[in-house]
Amino acid sequence: MQKQQFIWLDGKMVKFEDAKVHVLTHSLQYGSGMFEGIRCYKTAAGPAIFRLGDHIRRFLNSAKIYRMPAKFSAEELRDGIISTIKKNGLEEAYIRPFMFYKDIGIGFNTKGKSTSVAIAAIPFGNLFGHAGVSKGIRCKVSSWLRINSSTLPVGAKASGNYLNSIIASIEANDSGYDEAILMSSFGKVAEGPGENIFIVQDGILITPPKQSDILVGITRDTIIKIAGDMGLEVAEREIRREELYVSDEAFFCGTAAEITPIISVDSRAVGNGKPGQIAKALGERYSKIVRGEDKKYRGWLSPVD
Ligand code: PY5
């Protein structure tokens, strides 16, 4: 990871190396932190943050679910994010707001514990690299099921939830695959460890619904909205495992993954085993939208300057 000069910590800019916590911090011990992943892209009018308001809303909702006292308002977080980009002189960045219990102690109880918010902005290309996006990635359905909403709130971006993502990724990577696909506890396709999934059948985009215990991603919502403009029908419905094998196309989407084609699942080629045309077209459109090259969706961009 490329080090930046400054991290926003509770309203102050601190040097990168000074943004530290104690080893007994509640959120480090128990995964009780909440985070977001947001991107800032270079546009003709300077750097701009994509769907910032939606990310801040989800961030505050994650905290609300766990009754975590939010020390900062949406407005203050927005200002904090923008000033972190500015202070570090970045044109493009991955932004990681993180809210955590900074108190130390052994008990689980969070009542009365104080929180901190950190905002880091770091240069970070696509999660799967340029090759992942251009050539596509090979996936394996995990033997680990996606966490379910009767055990943990799956809609909160809580650090602890990501142990489920980590264990699935370890299995996929150890088996020689690029990424895992997790099934829901209902036996239907849910999502990737940090990405939503779409498949394409006969020109129709299909993606699992909320009922499959997915994190309802902002990129997923972006795709659903822009698909209409491209004359593509979208169905939010349960997906069976074998549909992954026989679909014409499949792709992941997310802030970090952007739009990454999936070229095989469990060693079965998806379509002709190459990135699909619809995934490519959506990827190109997405890239234009986030860089301010599409007038219709400029409202999704928050300019930094
Ligand atoms: N599903 C899960 C479990 C996620 O963690 C994410 C985002 C998504 C779907 C996609 O959501 P969105 O489109 O709103 O980003 N994952 C983070 C990201 O920044 C972390 C990845 C390392 O993309």
Side-chain angles (χ1 to χ4, degrees):
M1 190 173 76
Q2 207 173 315
K3 282 189 187 171
Q4 286 307 296
Q5 292 170 295
F6 296 100
I7 289 191
W8 186 98
L9 187 62
D10 291 328
K12 293 195 183 78
M13 288 295 173
V14 302
K15 280 197 198 142
F16 191 93
E17 53 274 20
D18 293 336
K20 289 179 183 161
V21 296
H22 194 273
V23 288
L24 289 176
T25 307
H26 190 281
S27 291
L28 183 60
Q29 294 273 331
Y30 299 126
S32 59
M34 305 296 148
F35 73 94
E36 264 306 314
I38 312 173
R39 274 193 195 268
C40 172
Y41 290 93
K42 185 178 171 181
T43 77
I49 303 166
F50 187 59
R51 299 194 67 170
L52 179 57
D54 295 305
H55 282 283
I56 291 176
R57 193 170 314 123
R58 189 171 65 189
F59 187 50
L60 291 173
N61 280 341
S62 296
K64 182 180 181 186
I65 289 166
Y66 281 93
R67 302 193 65 186
M68 203 169 185
K71 280 210 310 211
F72 299 95
S73 66
E75 205 48 51
E76 288 166 330
L77 292 169
R78 191 187 173 85
D79 290 349
I81 289 168
I82 288 177
S83 54
T84 310
I85 298 283
K86 273 192 182 165
K87 183 86 179 168
N88 286 298
L90 296 163
E91 282 189 316
E92 297 219 339
Y94 181 82
I95 307 159
R96 174 53 60 86
F98 183 48
M99 193 187 300
F100 58 100
Y101 287 105
K102 65 174 170 190
D103 289 0
I104 62 172
I106 299 303
F108 295 138
N109 199 349
T110 56
K111 200 164 185 177
K113 286 203 166 28
S114 44
T115 59
S116 264
V117 177
I119 302 167
I122 39 193
F124 179 63
N126 185 277
L127 185 63
F128 299 104
H130 183 69
V133 178
S134 58
K135 295 191 182 123
I137 58 168
R138 296 164 53 254
C139 296
K140 175 186 174 9
V141 172
S142 182
S143 66
W144 297 96
L145 301 179
R146 160 87 178 149
I147 46 173
N148 77 72
S149 49
S150 55
T151 304
L152 280 171
V154 299
K157 266 186 93 74
S159 304
N161 286 6
Y162 285 82
L163 284 173
N164 178 234
S165 304
I166 291 168
I167 196 86
S169 299
I170 290 172
E171 183 189 59
N173 296 153
D174 280 354
S175 314
Y177 294 85
D178 301 312
E179 187 64 302
I181 295 172
L182 290 95
M183 305 292 287
S184 75
S185 51
F186 308 106
K188 299 294 189 292
V189 174
E191 58 181 334
E195 312 87 12
N196 290 118
I197 191 168
F198 280 82
I199 57 172
V200 180
Q201 289 178 359
D202 301 322
I204 300 171
L205 283 171
I206 307 164
T207 194
K210 222 179 191 171
Q211 293 89 317
S212 294
D213 280 344
I214 59 165
L215 179 87
V216 183
I218 292 163
T219 318
R220 173 185 181 276
D221 179 71
T222 300
I223 289 168
I224 292 172
K225 292 193 168 125
I226 64 177
D229 299 345
M230 295 168 67
L232 294 165
E233 194 183 316
V234 184
E236 288 179 70
R237 68 148 172 87
E238 288 180 332
I239 297 175
R240 294 198 303 258
R241 180 174 180 163
E242 75 272 18
E243 288 185 274
L244 297 170
Y245 305 157
V246 297
S247 289
D248 304 322
E249 294 188 26
F251 60 88
F252 275 140
C253 69
T255 300
E258 298 167 306
I259 293 171
T260 301
I262 296 170
I263 53 168
S264 76
V265 179
D266 295 339
S267 306
R268 279 91 166 166
V270 175
N272 61 5
K274 296 205 171 94
Q277 290 311 308
I278 291 179
K280 263 195 195 163
L282 281 166
E284 279 160 22
R285 188 85 201 279
Y286 183 78
S287 171
K288 284 200 170 120
I289 290 171
V290 297
R291 289 182 175 80
E293 290 163 26
D294 189 325
K295 260 196 198 141
K296 185 171 173 191
Y297 295 107
R298 291 253 173 89
W300 274 341
L301 300 176
S302 302
V304 167
D305 298 322

